Amino acid sequence: MKITTGGRPAALLGAVLLFAGLGLVACAPESGPAEPGPSETTQAVSLETGFKIGLLLPDESSTRYETQDRPGFEAAVKAACPKCEVLYANANQDAAKQQQQANSMLTQGVKVLVVDPWDGVAAAAIVDQAVAQKVPVIAYDRLIKSPQLSYIISNNYEKVGELQGQALVEKLKADNVPAGSGIVMLNGATTDNNAVNIRKGALSQIEPAGYKVLAHIETWDGPTAEKFASSQIAKFGTKIAAFYSANDGNALAAIAAMNAAGMKLVPTTGLDATLASVQSILAGQQYMTVYNSFKGEAEQAVKVALDLAQGKTPTSTDTVDGIPAFLQQPQAVTADTVATTVVKDGVYKTSDICTTQYAAACTAHNIK
């Protein structure tokens, strides 16, 4: 995956893709001017009359989708286009189901699709079908392997992995854990291109530091991760100096496995800044997580979706594989930075975090 940064109009990029034979067939007459790029549609729609927008999310195992992304997206649509209607579906880790959900939305007349794919390769078929009906598609959070995407809204996931790996290495060194000590890696699913980039970023920090990967698994499923972690604890025991986890669900699974085995907790990383993990971090269990602004990601997706549906050309700050993109930059979150990240941004109220069980931890870290 090639990422290029810097503001550059999507129209120019669309023209480049068109010249390369990757553009869409548009509605212009045969004798008319050159065909428009993939961001243009055939139907005249407006914010005044409203239209349908499709939102497809990949799973329910990651709590962020139902608690942050979906409500954030729907709220942003309501604010910008009160007469627009959001058609929503969650694939629940099923690529075929997600294809069916997309088919249904296209049949119902959506003017733009925002798709966070369960399987980034399989979802190319969704793009193909939408393009055939001149409906633009935005890849949301996870990349879809299709040159016919109109836009990508995501985060810098290689940087996510770098932050995780850097934090883990620094913690191990601070605890005087020698090079050569073992790490068990709980990576994300191979169907998710983001997981590949996260792993790449993490290893760029772990390997040069001299720590040894004892074992690894690729899954976003918490119970599967917990079962694997338990098996590795039984196999390696105290040789495990840390659990590298690509997200919070797997991190909490590793912590549950350590507790069940009576093992002293070792540093464990995460991603998504879920409420349970933020509380775990404050309690001294999970070591760190990474926060990407869910609200910022959802609001940017809505802004681009509304432009594309109206045939407008959204600007972009980045490109991914030549496709216009908007990539947020992640932030590492430890117990010392909870207040200045997720609390400051209003992701959680202090009352959400500082329940009776975590009140003392909140006081210790000046979260009021």
Side-chain angles (χ1 to χ4, degrees):
M1 180 179 73
K2 182 178 180 181
I3 298 175
T4 305
T5 60
R8 189 174 183 183
L12 176 58
L13 293 166
V16 172
L17 292 177
L18 178 63
F19 181 78
L22 301 178
L24 303 180
V25 176
C27 58
E30 292 184 1
S31 58
E35 295 173 345
S39 64
E40 298 188 44
T41 59
T42 57
Q43 299 88 357
V45 297
S46 69
L47 301 183
E48 289 72 23
T49 58
F51 47 87
K52 294 177 180 178
I53 302 169
L55 175 63
L56 294 163
L57 296 182
D59 64 73
E60 297 177 358
S61 61
S62 299
T63 59
R64 58 165 288 186
Y65 293 121
E66 295 297 331
T67 63
Q68 300 289 340
D69 295 88
R70 179 188 179 183
F73 187 92
E74 292 176 337
V77 170
K78 184 177 181 180
C81 182
K83 292 188 177 180
C84 286
E85 178 185 358
V86 177
L87 303 186
Y88 172 73
N90 191 303
N92 200 19
Q93 305 183 43
D94 188 330
K97 182 178 181 180
Q98 190 165 59
Q99 176 72 62
Q100 294 168 357
Q101 292 167 341
N103 292 346
S104 175
M105 290 182 182
L106 290 169
T107 300
Q108 294 178 70
V110 295
K111 303 304 181 187
V112 59
L113 276 177
V114 179
V115 183
D116 191 338
W118 171 249
D119 185 324
V121 175
I126 294 175
V127 181
D128 290 343
Q129 186 171 5
V131 164
Q133 299 182 39
K134 300 181 175 59
V135 174
V137 179
I138 299 167
Y140 180 80
D141 198 64
R142 299 177 182 177
L143 182 65
I144 300 174
K145 291 289 190 177
S146 172
Q148 298 194 90
L149 284 171
S150 291
Y151 210 95
I152 295 170
I153 305 286
S154 191
N155 303 289
N156 187 336
Y157 279 103
E158 188 169 330
K159 182 65 175 179
V160 167
E162 290 174 3
L163 290 175
Q164 293 170 330
Q166 179 182 355
L168 194 60
V169 167
E170 289 178 351
K171 174 62 174 172
L172 291 175
K173 288 183 176 179
D175 291 345
N176 297 314
V177 177
S181 298
I183 295 175
V184 173
M185 296 190 74
L186 307 177
N187 300 308
T190 56
T191 54
D192 180 0
N193 187 73
N194 290 344
V196 176
N197 289 317
I198 293 171
R199 178 178 180 273
K200 178 181 178 182
L203 288 175
S204 74
Q205 304 297 309
I206 292 170
E207 291 180 337
Y211 293 108
K212 180 182 179 182
V213 176
L214 298 174
H216 62 89
I217 191 174
E218 286 70 39
T219 182
W220 287 132
D221 183 65
T224 300
E226 183 174 348
K227 183 177 180 180
F228 177 79
S230 295
S231 69
Q232 300 313 302
I233 291 169
K235 181 177 180 179
F236 294 109
T238 57
K239 292 181 180 179
I240 300 174
F243 275 95
Y244 165 81
S245 171
N247 79 344
D248 288 343
N250 286 354
L252 294 177
I255 291 168
M258 286 186 277
N259 285 332
M263 175 181 171
K264 180 181 178 181
L265 295 182
V266 298
T268 306
T269 62
L271 164 66
D272 285 340
T274 64
L275 178 59
S277 280
V278 169
Q279 292 173 323
S280 179
I281 289 168
L282 290 172
Q285 298 171 346
Q286 185 172 328
Y287 175 61
M288 64 85 68
T289 187
V290 176
Y291 165 59
N292 292 303
S293 173
F294 309 118
K295 181 180 179 182
E297 193 172 8
E299 289 180 347
Q300 186 66 22
V302 169
K303 180 180 178 182
V304 172
L306 296 178
D307 280 348
L308 290 172
Q310 296 176 89
K312 297 179 181 179
T313 302
T315 57
S316 63
T317 56
D318 309 277
T319 66
V320 176
D321 295 339
I323 297 169
F326 174 83
L327 302 179
Q328 295 191 119
Q329 295 303 312
Q331 303 175 65
V333 179
T334 63
D336 293 333
T337 60
V338 168
T340 58
T341 52
V342 293
V343 173
K344 180 181 178 182
D345 283 4
V347 178
Y348 306 115
K349 298 176 182 178
T350 54
S351 58
D352 296 328
I353 300 172
C354 303
T355 59
T356 301
Q357 182 178 352
Y358 299 99
C362 285
T363 300
H365 293 284
N366 199 32
I367 299 174
K368 303 175 181 178

